[in-house]
Amino acid sequence: MNTPKFLTIILLFIFCGTKLYAQQNAVVNYCIQLDSLNKTVTNNTIDRKTATKKLTHLITQIDKNAGFNSPDAWTFPLKGYKANAIGGVKGNGYFDKGYHFLDGNKHTAHPAHDIFITDRNQDTFDDKTLKPVEVLAVTDGVVVSCTPQWDVGSALRGGKCIWVYHPGLNLFSYYAHNRQLFVKTGDVVKRGQKIAEVGRTGLNAYKKRSPTHLHFSAFRLVNGLPVPFNPYQNLIKASTL
Ligand SMILES: [Zn+2]
């Protein structure tokens, strides 16, 4: 190969590398902004119009810069468990009537499925394996909000929780009540990747009457706001790890 050709290839590599790095940095930045926006929504300290506008802008940018589209197929969000661990009868634990994302921590309804682990003594360890149960990302995505801290006495219902956005699918997945998180805002996650461990954090999940579980929700962005949909069929069809 002659020298000019070689130099062109090297420069092209540097250019593409720099562009990719800038895009990844931009995504992290948008995710951090989305995380703080989400926290103002949770605390009800932002007006609805501003929140909707900001959210639409940030998701548009994340979609544009993520550099990938998430696959449609799902992995079941609890390692070692399958659909029969979903609470209720045929998914009737899900009800979204009256739920509004902008109601934050004060929301009503239960637009989610609680997925239970076997933990009779409520130590958050699986009774069979005596180990924590891994929470897995249902498909590829970007972590757009994390709450890594929760203390007993806090009124926050989700406890230690994670929001993942899945580019190209217009889909959010939400994982609550974890004991520990293993990702941070801005991280890219792969389908089936361990993102947390099942726990008992959150105002009600901490109470003795609540069996240890993952609270799992799915949302689509409709008119700038996450609107819940019932992911029961996705969970039933998901492959298991
Ligand atoms: Zn729940």
Side-chain angles (χ1 to χ4, degrees):
M1 190 186 299
N2 59 33
T3 312
K5 212 173 185 181
F6 179 71
L7 268 177
T8 312
I9 289 172
I10 292 290
L11 283 172
L12 202 65
F13 263 111
I14 293 172
F15 173 75
C16 291
T18 313
K19 198 173 170 222
L20 193 68
Y21 181 73
Q23 263 182 327
Q24 281 165 349
N25 257 351
V27 170
V28 172
N29 205 346
Y30 292 127
C31 291
I32 290 169
Q33 289 182 56
L34 215 157
D35 181 51
S36 38
L37 172 65
N38 190 30
K39 276 159 191 165
T40 59
V41 169
T42 306
N43 302 323
N44 304 106
T45 53
I46 188 165
D47 70 90
R48 292 178 175 236
K49 211 174 155 190
T50 313
T52 310
K53 211 174 140 191
K54 273 191 174 175
L55 198 59
T56 308
H57 167 70
L58 291 171
I59 288 300
T60 308
Q61 291 305 321
I62 292 170
D63 258 329
K64 208 187 275 178
N65 291 286
F68 67 93
N69 281 333
S70 310
D72 226 348
W74 283 26
T75 293
F76 196 73
L78 284 194
K79 192 174 179 183
Y81 284 82
K82 51 184 197 248
N84 64 1
I86 300 172
V89 179
K90 292 189 176 170
N92 69 355
Y94 177 96
F95 59 99
D96 58 14
K97 206 170 186 301
Y99 175 89
H100 198 289
F101 174 72
L102 293 178
D103 290 341
N105 195 46
K106 291 178 190 157
H107 70 254
T108 53
H110 186 259
H113 289 288
D114 290 337
I115 309 172
F116 295 91
I117 67 164
T118 49
D119 177 25
R120 289 175 77 99
N121 62 357
Q122 302 196 337
D123 65 354
T124 74
F125 289 0
D126 188 300
D127 289 346
K128 284 181 222 126
T129 65
L130 306 177
K131 284 183 184 153
V133 177
E134 295 185 17
V135 175
L136 314 173
V138 288
T139 184
D140 297 358
V142 188
V143 177
V144 288
S145 189
C146 274
T147 303
Q149 281 305 318
W150 182 86
D151 294 306
V152 177
S154 161
L156 277 186
R157 291 155 61 165
K160 297 181 186 180
C161 58
I162 301 171
W163 283 85
V164 179
Y165 178 69
H166 306 280
L169 294 180
N170 185 31
L171 168 78
F172 294 88
S173 54
Y174 172 70
Y175 313 77
H177 308 323
N178 304 292
R179 69 194 296 274
Q180 196 184 342
L181 309 189
F182 290 85
V183 287
K184 59 182 186 312
T185 302
D187 283 358
V188 171
V189 294
K190 285 285 182 197
R191 177 184 171 195
Q193 182 182 327
K194 176 185 179 180
I195 56 172
E197 286 170 356
V198 176
R200 304 183 50 80
T201 60
L203 180 66
N204 293 321
Y206 177 74
K207 293 173 184 164
K208 208 155 181 62
R209 64 175 159 82
S210 174
T212 309
H213 66 279
L214 168 74
H215 171 105
F216 177 81
S217 291
F219 298 83
R220 293 203 192 285
L221 205 67
V222 180
N223 299 325
L225 287 176
V227 173
F229 73 92
N230 190 346
Y232 189 66
Q233 285 307 319
N234 303 66
L235 292 171
I236 294 282
K237 289 178 197 152
S239 56
T240 52
L241 282 182

